[in-house]
Amino acid sequence: MRPIFLLLTILTSFTVLGQDKYYNDKAEQEALKKAFEIIKVYYPANTVCASDSVYDHDWMFAAGGLEKEISEELFQLRLDKRFAFDDPVYSQNISYLLNTDSCECHEYKYAAEFSAPYKGMIMCLVMPKDRKVGLYGTPSIFNFLFRFENDGEIYQINKSVTHFD
């Protein structure tokens, strides 16, 4: 009876530990931390925090100004998904790397919502914490696209704004 219990415990541990498939790579982790530090430069002190989830953003918002090849690749990504969007997924790696527990505080006005890394790129939308945009809230949101090297060093940042009427 005891060996079966031990085997089930081990299998459950591997299942739980293997669930977070985002930001496992060292370069992706470094790029994520640096991207958040860059985002904090754009916002006054203590107004932005990081969400603990991975979001399926529309990369085309941030594709402007990129090489044609990259823009087409990002468009193909959305085509492959048939323009469907996945729900946000909790990421223990993001939570740990960016200390997202602090995002629960009400002092923050904005939340940085990161995408899953894709071919050396990370996208981030900075949204109001209440998620009210347009007529009922913030008239615009900022989109950041970070491109990074194999060592996690960010070499390109594209920032764009989406306006709502």
Side-chain angles (χ1 to χ4, degrees):
M1 180 70 170
R2 194 153 203 222
I4 293 173
F5 177 74
L6 181 62
L7 180 63
L8 287 175
T9 304
I10 291 171
L11 289 175
T12 304
S13 299
F14 284 129
T15 303
V16 170
L17 291 174
Q19 285 179 346
D20 199 353
K21 61 184 177 181
Y22 305 108
Y23 297 102
N24 287 323
D25 182 68
K26 189 78 169 162
E28 294 169 351
Q29 291 175 355
E30 287 301 313
L32 177 69
K33 290 188 287 189
K34 290 174 183 173
F36 188 52
E37 289 302 315
I38 291 168
I39 286 171
K40 290 193 288 186
V41 169
Y42 285 91
Y43 290 87
N46 296 325
T47 60
V48 66
C49 61
S51 173
D52 63 3
S53 298
V54 171
Y55 291 81
D56 185 12
H57 295 309
D58 191 351
W59 290 70
M60 294 312 297
F61 282 122
L66 293 175
E67 299 89 36
K68 184 178 178 186
E69 176 184 306
I70 300 296
S71 293
E72 289 173 356
E73 197 169 301
L74 294 176
F75 182 71
Q76 187 62 46
L77 171 66
R78 189 52 56 201
L79 271 176
D80 292 345
K81 290 185 162 198
R82 297 194 164 125
F83 295 96
F85 290 87
D86 299 327
D87 291 332
V89 176
Y90 171 77
S91 171
Q92 185 174 356
N93 288 340
I94 289 179
S95 182
Y96 172 73
L97 291 167
L98 302 182
N99 188 24
T100 61
D101 292 339
S102 65
C103 204
E104 299 304 318
C105 298
H106 297 289
E107 67 189 69
Y108 295 101
K109 186 175 179 183
Y110 301 101
E113 299 177 348
F114 289 95
S115 70
Y118 178 71
K119 295 188 177 185
M121 296 179 279
I122 300 171
M123 184 174 173
C124 179
L125 295 185
V126 179
M127 298 283 292
K129 278 197 61 184
D130 62 7
R131 302 196 61 79
K132 291 182 181 178
V133 293
L135 219 46
Y136 301 105
T138 304
S140 56
I141 58 173
F142 291 94
N143 314 295
F144 292 87
L145 182 88
F146 300 95
R147 295 178 69 191
F148 60 93
E149 300 283 354
N150 292 336
D151 62 355
E153 195 65 37
I154 292 175
Y155 67 90
Q156 183 179 4
I157 304 165
N158 285 41
K159 178 184 168 209
S160 60
V161 180
T162 304
H163 297 283
F164 298 92
D165 293 329

